[in-house]
Amino acid sequence: MIIDGKKIAEEIESEIQQEIQKLKGRRPGLAVILVGDHPPSHIYVNKKIEACHKVGIHSVKRQFPNDITEEKLLIELQKLNRDPHVDGILVQLPLPKQINPITIIQSITPEKDVDGLHPINVGKLFSGDTSGFVSCTPLGIKTLLERAGINVQGKRVLVLGRSNLVGKPVAALLMQNADGANATVTVAHSLSKNIPELCRSSDIIISAMGNPKFITLEMVKEGTVIIDVGIIKIDDPTLNKGYRIVGDVDFDAVKDKCSFITPVPGGVGPMTIAMLLSNTLKSFLNKIDRDAKQTR
Ligand code: GUN
């Protein structure tokens, strides 16, 4: 069965929209920072801004040239940290070479880090403290599995890729002692030995490698669940636009062997955006709670 991530994301966005419509006063606000001219980042950021607009989140897009200094960017982030209309701050990655992403991420106040990348939020995830923010793609994957009715408890989950954005946090999230988790997680990466064998012995494969059609029919056992996080643009002169977007999985070859599989596009991608909106609403509600406690 093909998991329709777009439809599930739309359902979640409609739930968020209804919650926001019930709010009185200020609306939740998200600031998105885009540095330089990395074309996919422009597309992703525009999708995030569009989604905010759809559900009623106030969004600010701050765009900076490729040669902005780290100091200037840090000053901008300090302003957003203090801005009472901004509940969430997201710095789109990758950043240009002169800017250290670790310094930038650590300068965002953890209460507004809706991307869940600040060490405080990463630490909360690893220690099972649910008050923090979990990064959007891992949270989207967990939500997608839950809404598709796939129970990961006790299952052998293979995560391919060890990035801070996807591989590491999704492994932490699914191995937790918590509802919707309790999986037996293996993390493999580019230097792992015998990935085909690891794939064949897994119940669920979450692939976040960015390697087109890496997962082939021989690597998949009957009934496996595949979550494809890869998004790769490949040339295709037969199409008007001249390219196609594909994932890490040879979708057409393996789809009939899987019990569930996510397509690319239309699988995990829309869920990442829905989770960003959900985290922004969570941050807004946290702020209302903190303000109410202060005035008590
Ligand atoms: N670049 C690609 N995916 C992401 C994401 O989820 N967050 C940020 N900040 N940058 C990205």
Side-chain angles (χ1 to χ4, degrees), residues 24-185:
K24 295 185 177 70
R26 182 174 84 81
R27 283 183 301 156
L30 174 71
V32 182
I33 293 194
L34 178 58
V35 184
D37 40 25
H38 183 242
S41 289
H42 281 255
I43 297 172
Y44 297 147
V45 164
N46 287 340
K47 282 190 176 173
K48 290 170 186 178
I49 299 283
E50 229 174 81
C52 282
H53 185 70
K54 229 168 62 187
V55 301
I57 290 176
H58 169 70
S59 66
V60 195
K61 177 171 151 190
R62 305 295 313 275
Q63 224 170 314
F64 299 102
N66 206 45
D67 60 357
I68 187 175
T69 62
E70 193 171 281
E71 290 70 25
K72 273 199 184 144
L73 196 54
L74 288 171
I75 291 168
E76 293 299 328
L77 283 165
Q78 291 314 321
K79 283 188 213 156
L80 294 171
N81 279 340
R82 287 192 298 267
D83 188 333
H85 299 287
V86 171
D87 300 287
I89 302 172
L90 179 146
V91 179
Q92 187 69 22
L93 302 172
L95 289 167
K97 282 191 290 295
Q98 76 278 13
I99 296 174
N100 182 345
I102 296 177
T103 311
I104 295 301
I105 287 163
Q106 293 191 6
S107 77
I108 299 170
T109 184
E111 287 85 10
K112 295 189 179 186
D113 169 41
V114 288
D115 228 5
L117 299 178
H118 190 286
I120 293 269
N121 286 316
V122 176
K124 283 185 175 183
L125 167 64
F126 273 77
S127 55
D129 176 347
T130 56
S131 72
F133 292 107
V134 176
S135 65
C136 302
T137 302
L139 194 56
I141 293 168
K142 181 166 178 270
T143 309
L144 200 57
L145 289 164
E146 281 168 354
R147 295 221 177 190
I150 299 159
N151 184 1
V152 304
Q153 179 159 315
K155 302 269 174 64
R156 284 167 300 182
V157 174
L158 176 65
V159 176
L160 293 172
R162 54 179 159 181
S163 69
N164 290 334
L165 268 173
V166 186
K168 283 187 234 172
V170 82
L173 194 59
L174 297 182
M175 73 164 84
Q176 273 177 331
N177 183 356
D179 283 349
N182 293 308
T184 304
V185 180

Side-chain angles (χ1 to χ4, degrees), residues 195 201 251 254:
I195 289 180
S201 59
F251 183 86
V254 308

